[in-house]
Amino acid sequence: MSIDVWERARQIRKVAEDGRPLYERIANVLSDAIRSGELADGHRLPTVRELAELLEISATTVVSAYNRLRADGLAVGEVGRGTFVSHPAGTPAVTNDRQPLTIPAGSSLLVPASTAWRRRALAGAETRLRLAFPEAVDLMRGGPDPELLPTTALRRAWRTAADNLTVAELQYPMRVETDPTLVEQLLPRLEADGVTADPGEILITSSTQQLLALVVELLHSDRTGTGPVIAAVEEPGYQTAMDTFERGGLHLVGMPLDDEGVRPEGLEAALAGGARLALFTPRAQSPTGSSWTTERKDQLAEVLAAYPDVWIVEDDHFAEASTSKPGSLRNDPRLRARVIYVRSFSKCLAPDLRLAAAVADDDVRNRLSLAKSFADGWTPRTAQRALAALLADPETDQALNLARSTYAARRSSLGALIQERTGGAISPTIGADGLHLWFSLPAGGHAGELVAETARAGFLLAGADPFYVGPGHDTSIRLNAGVAPVEVTAGVAQALADALRQLPSRSEMVLTP
């Protein structure tokens, strides 16, 4: 690649802030070089790492730029060899306004790729950092602190389930069954959280991810016409949900957030743009930690009531360790028939449980049950009974109380210390619930650079790109404060302050000594 093209690509990040994502601007610079003949057919492009380091951006952004070139027929990837220019005659020009759908201003949209990229990008970044810095403290993963899980009670629960197992229960069931002992444990917990549910409305799935995949299947079965099926998702939001939707063929539109979750005007824009599904996290939103207030829930309900064909999913992933109780949209009679509430147990009890409880009206519940029967048959009754025994064990609630208070203390203390050590240059969002701190960098800061610097100092953090509909968001960081014990908080805060000082002078950051 000629030095001129390198320089043009470098300049595009610094000066061409025209509202398009960074990856699109880089892809357009390279496509111009290809179309002009400056990059000949068969020319090997720089590796993702080379270009990311040269342009001082995240590898995810480079991957997205190269994917754009491949989608436009201007590059091909060869396993083990790299990415090469492909310049077939008659390839249509790349235009800056390339947009397959009309979506209102303020929302973002990405046409689904052949393979979802966010989890892969996050896992790839973690793998590279762990290999380079094997002794670093990993604060980029989204899991709970294993020391705060009710491990002893879980062992006891599995023994209880095994001791009561009969030979007949090892056979194929006649239908997808929800174990009554689990329903008995779930109902009072749902009621305490303001979620209305009847016993027959509960379906146990093999994780929230499976439930979302089943919802995608139902959306496609209800599809009319030839237009795309659009899902409205929180932005920034849960990367696995976005990947699951895209893998199922849905298009995504982002809904902006504030400290109380999705903003009503963002929901309105997404629904007016044709979204058929809206996904919400009522509390402990990942990655920001935002939680609904009762007022915000009611505001969202008013917007949703005007769109009677929109499906609604509530992902209550942190229910067992939350303090806030905003209730559910199911409680609104205008919405109840199309709300699917899902409560999972991975973050609070054990990720390996792989169980989630969905609550839906009879018709939707029966359709989901039928779809599940073709997906994996049923959720093992032994696992359901183990979860029931775990929830019934008094030691479980004791462990949850400890986890709840510990996570709150870690979020609060680490967030305050980061703000102090950086002289206010970083002010993390400290939510009422959850594991994470989320913060934006000062003007000119780039997450990829900061992640690299903090990794050298011994702490692994996650850049923002995988939590958005499309790449090009290199200005925020997610930090899992839930797994950061008090003995590392000072080191984390100081590493961030030092990393900001190490960034190039173009950031013009002013920090206290």
Side-chain angles (χ1 to χ4, degrees):
M1 187 174 188
S2 73
I3 191 65
D4 291 339
V5 178
W6 282 108
E7 187 58 31
R8 287 170 63 191
R10 182 192 291 273
Q11 290 173 352
I12 200 73
R13 181 174 68 86
K14 292 184 176 181
V15 301
E17 297 288 346
D18 59 3
R20 290 176 297 147
L22 177 58
Y23 80 97
E24 284 193 8
R25 287 182 271 132
I26 293 174
N28 282 352
V29 168
L30 296 176
S31 66
D32 288 345
I34 294 171
R35 296 180 193 284
S36 68
E38 192 170 356
L39 289 176
D41 190 41
H43 187 102
R44 185 180 183 277
L45 294 175
T47 66
V48 169
R49 180 176 180 179
E50 288 171 345
L51 193 55
E53 290 179 351
L54 180 77
L55 303 185
E56 299 172 331
I57 60 176
S58 71
T60 303
T61 301
V62 177
V63 169
S64 299
Y66 281 3
N67 284 342
R68 172 70 178 272
L69 294 178
R70 283 194 285 267
D72 290 320
L74 298 177
V76 293
E78 298 183 15
V79 177
R81 297 190 62 224
T83 302
F84 297 83
V85 171
S86 175
H87 197 190
T91 300
V94 177
T95 60
N96 293 344
D97 59 351
R98 180 174 178 266
Q99 186 62 276
L101 299 172
T102 301
I103 294 295
S107 299
S108 59
L109 177 73
L110 179 69
V111 176
S114 57
T115 55
W117 59 274
R118 297 168 194 83
R119 290 197 309 170
R120 188 172 66 249
L122 195 60
E126 182 182 11
T127 299
R128 290 191 297 272
L129 289 171
R130 286 176 67 89
L131 288 173
F133 307 99
E135 302 302 318
V137 178
D138 192 341
L139 304 177
M140 70 185 300
R141 303 194 79 182
D145 185 341
E147 298 299 323
L148 294 174
L149 298 176
T151 308
T152 301
L154 183 58
R155 293 193 185 103
R156 195 157 49 237
W158 276 109
R159 284 196 295 268
T160 298
D163 288 345
N164 294 320
L165 185 66
T166 66
V167 174
E169 290 166 344
L170 297 176
Q171 294 292 341
Y172 294 101
M174 295 294 294
R175 58 187 178 278
V176 176
E177 295 180 355
T178 299
D179 192 87
T181 62
L182 180 53
V183 172
E184 182 181 351
Q185 293 301 318
L186 288 174
L187 286 175
R189 291 175 181 268
L190 292 168
E191 182 179 2
D193 283 336
V195 181
T196 59
D198 294 329
E201 295 176 326
I202 298 175
L203 173 69
I204 306 302
T205 63
S206 303
S207 76
T208 296
Q209 186 176 349
Q210 183 188 54
L211 184 279
L212 296 178
L214 299 177
V215 170
V216 170
E217 181 178 334
L218 298 193
L219 277 173
H220 282 303
S221 68
D222 286 352
R223 180 178 182 176
T224 58
T226 58
V229 180
I230 305 171
V233 296
E234 297 162 330
E235 193 174 38
Y238 180 35
Q239 72 281 1
T240 297
M242 295 188 201
D243 279 358
T244 299
F245 287 158
E246 282 191 343
R247 186 174 177 82
L250 302 190
H251 294 240
L252 303 182
V253 58
M255 300 181 290
L257 308 172
D258 59 21
D259 291 345
E260 298 179 0
V262 170
R263 300 204 302 262
E265 66 273 16
L267 172 62
E268 173 70 43
L271 301 188
R276 289 288 318 284
L277 166 69
L279 174 66
F280 302 101
T281 309
R283 48 189 172 178
Q285 196 269 349
S286 178
T288 69
S290 65
S291 296
W292 287 349
T293 59
T294 301
E295 292 75 16
R296 176 57 56 84
K297 180 193 66 177
D298 293 342
Q299 291 168 352
L300 297 175
E302 288 302 316
V303 175
L304 289 160
Y307 295 88
D309 294 329
V310 172
W311 291 55
I312 304 159
V313 176
E314 296 174 335
D315 178 9
D316 201 2
H317 71 105
F318 209 73
E320 305 306 325
S322 287
T323 57
S324 56
K325 296 182 182 296
S328 169
L329 292 167
R330 272 179 55 82
N331 299 345
D332 190 317
R334 299 171 298 176
L335 309 179
R336 181 184 176 100
R338 50 197 173 98
V339 175
I340 303 169
Y341 168 91
V342 58
R343 186 186 192 100
S344 56
F345 306 93
S346 296
K347 291 291 190 296
C348 304
L349 298 179
D352 197 53
L353 274 175
R354 309 313 299 150
L355 294 178
V359 181
D361 270 16
D362 289 343
D363 179 61
V364 175
R365 192 265 186 205
N366 291 339
R367 294 183 64 194
L368 289 170
S369 179
L370 178 62
K372 178 176 171 58
S373 73
F374 286 102
D376 65 350
W378 69 97
T379 301
R381 289 157 289 184
T382 309
Q384 294 188 53
R385 290 179 183 177
L387 176 57
L390 180 62
L391 293 175
D393 193 325
E395 187 176 311
T396 298
D397 281 327
Q398 294 172 12
L400 289 171
N401 288 335
L402 176 62
R404 189 178 297 115
S405 60
T406 301
Y407 290 145
R410 289 175 179 177
R411 291 192 312 270
S412 179
S413 61
L414 183 52
L417 193 56
I418 289 171
Q419 186 167 8
E420 175 190 328
R421 293 290 177 90
T422 62
I426 291 178
S427 182
T429 298
I430 304 174
D433 288 307
L435 300 172
H436 304 125
L437 295 178
W438 175 263
F439 52 87
S440 298
L441 301 182
H446 292 276
E449 299 167 352
L450 187 136
V451 166
E453 290 296 333
T454 54
R456 293 186 184 97
F459 302 98
L460 307 186
L461 311 181
D465 261 355
F467 309 107
Y468 282 85
V469 169
H473 299 271
D474 196 35
T475 58
S476 298
I477 296 288
R478 186 189 78 174
L479 185 161
N480 187 344
V483 296
V486 65
E487 58 266 25
V488 307
T489 54
V492 176
Q494 191 59 50
L496 282 168
D498 292 342
L500 289 181
R501 293 189 181 93
Q502 293 298 319
L503 297 184
S505 60
R506 67 173 179 275
S507 60
E508 299 179 356
M509 301 173 192
V510 179
L511 302 179
T512 58

